[in-house]
Amino acid sequence: MPSHKDLPLNNIFIPSKVPSKKLMIILHGRGDSSRGFTFLPPYLKIDDMNYLLLDAPYFYYGGFSWYDLPPNQLEGIANSSAILADIFDTLFDEEFNAHESFLFGFSQGALLTFEFGARYEKVLAGYIAVSGYIYDALNLLEEMNPNVNHSNWLCTHGTYDDVLPFNTSKSQVETLQNAGFEIDFKSYPKDHTVVEDELRMIAEWMKSRIV
């Protein structure tokens, strides 16, 4: 059985309190690290959920990044997606069940949740994208795994976000929704961060999808 220590990205693994094959994979934003979201597992209070918090592959001012700044994102997105595919293949070979697992991403991590998660061959129990955007919504519709179309997607964004504008992300999600991609989109009066009401909603959203 593979160890999280053997994965190609540095990470923090938090085991479940109750043994299970459920896993939540957490992707941070630009300049952050896996440590930035260690608050999340205790907050969610899901005793049978394991957690894997990954460091992105590129160094960025004391933290890490999943891809370069615009307009040079694509190479990093493709490389990070390939690394994530390798990690997911390893994790979901024997150790964890994809259909009981979740992918969570904030900012750059949210983009990877869409760009990688929607293309990945295995369908997860849920996908949560917070304060991010989509690199190319039309291309994603062409290349996505059709089986994720009716799986559980949650996207949240702040109406006061001064890093990734609210209207841009909302429009991209609507492009996907209009093509039949089922996504719950929720807005919050916040900037580029995560807030208490949002976290409470995410916890309930996850728990309602866990068997």
Side-chain angles (χ1 to χ4, degrees):
M1 191 170 288
S3 167
H4 62 279
K5 295 178 182 177
D6 299 327
L7 297 175
L9 293 177
N10 290 330
N11 62 81
I12 297 172
F13 180 74
I14 302 173
S16 59
K17 294 180 180 178
V18 177
S20 83
K21 290 195 168 188
K22 299 173 183 176
L23 179 67
M24 185 177 185
I25 298 165
I26 298 173
L27 311 179
H28 63 76
R30 185 177 75 231
D32 201 357
S33 72
S34 53
R35 293 188 301 276
F37 277 89
T38 52
F39 73 89
L40 188 57
Y43 184 92
L44 295 175
K45 296 179 182 176
I46 303 174
D47 287 348
D48 61 346
M49 185 68 67
N50 298 277
Y51 298 90
L52 181 69
L53 297 82
L54 296 170
D55 283 344
Y58 304 107
F59 289 107
Y60 187 87
Y61 293 100
F64 301 92
S65 172
W66 294 99
Y67 54 84
D68 204 352
L69 295 170
N72 304 308
Q73 308 104 300
L74 191 54
E75 182 180 353
I77 291 171
N79 184 52
S80 290
S81 293
I83 295 170
L84 289 174
D86 182 36
I87 290 173
F88 276 48
D89 287 347
T90 300
L91 295 170
F92 297 132
D93 180 28
E94 293 181 5
E95 196 170 5
F96 301 101
N97 293 332
H99 69 275
E100 295 185 299
S101 297
F102 291 81
L103 175 58
F104 172 99
F106 173 76
S107 195
Q108 281 199 345
L111 181 141
L112 264 300
T113 298
F114 274 110
E115 296 290 341
F116 162 72
R119 288 177 169 87
Y120 185 60
E121 61 183 4
K122 291 184 172 69
V123 180
L124 307 186
Y127 305 80
I128 303 163
V130 176
S131 299
Y133 71 105
I134 299 157
Y135 179 71
D136 188 332
L138 294 177
N139 186 248
L140 184 64
L141 287 169
E142 290 182 5
E143 297 182 355
M144 64 186 282
N145 174 357
N147 295 319
V148 307
N149 217 22
H150 303 292
S151 53
N152 295 307
W153 286 80
L154 174 64
C155 182
T156 66
H157 210 96
T159 52
Y160 306 132
D161 196 320
D162 57 355
V163 177
L164 298 174
F166 173 80
N167 287 334
T168 300
S169 296
K170 183 174 185 287
S171 175
Q172 291 171 333
V173 169
E174 287 174 347
T175 296
L176 299 182
Q177 290 172 327
N178 292 338
F181 196 146
E182 296 185 4
I183 305 168
D184 293 334
F185 183 82
K186 299 185 183 297
S187 61
Y188 287 86
K190 62 165 191 167
D191 52 21
H192 197 65
T193 186
V194 187
V195 294
E196 184 79 16
D197 287 351
E198 181 181 25
L199 286 170
R200 196 159 37 239
M201 182 276 298
I202 289 170
E204 292 306 313
W205 186 90
M206 287 183 64
K207 289 170 185 174
S208 72
R209 285 154 178 81
I210 295 172
V211 178

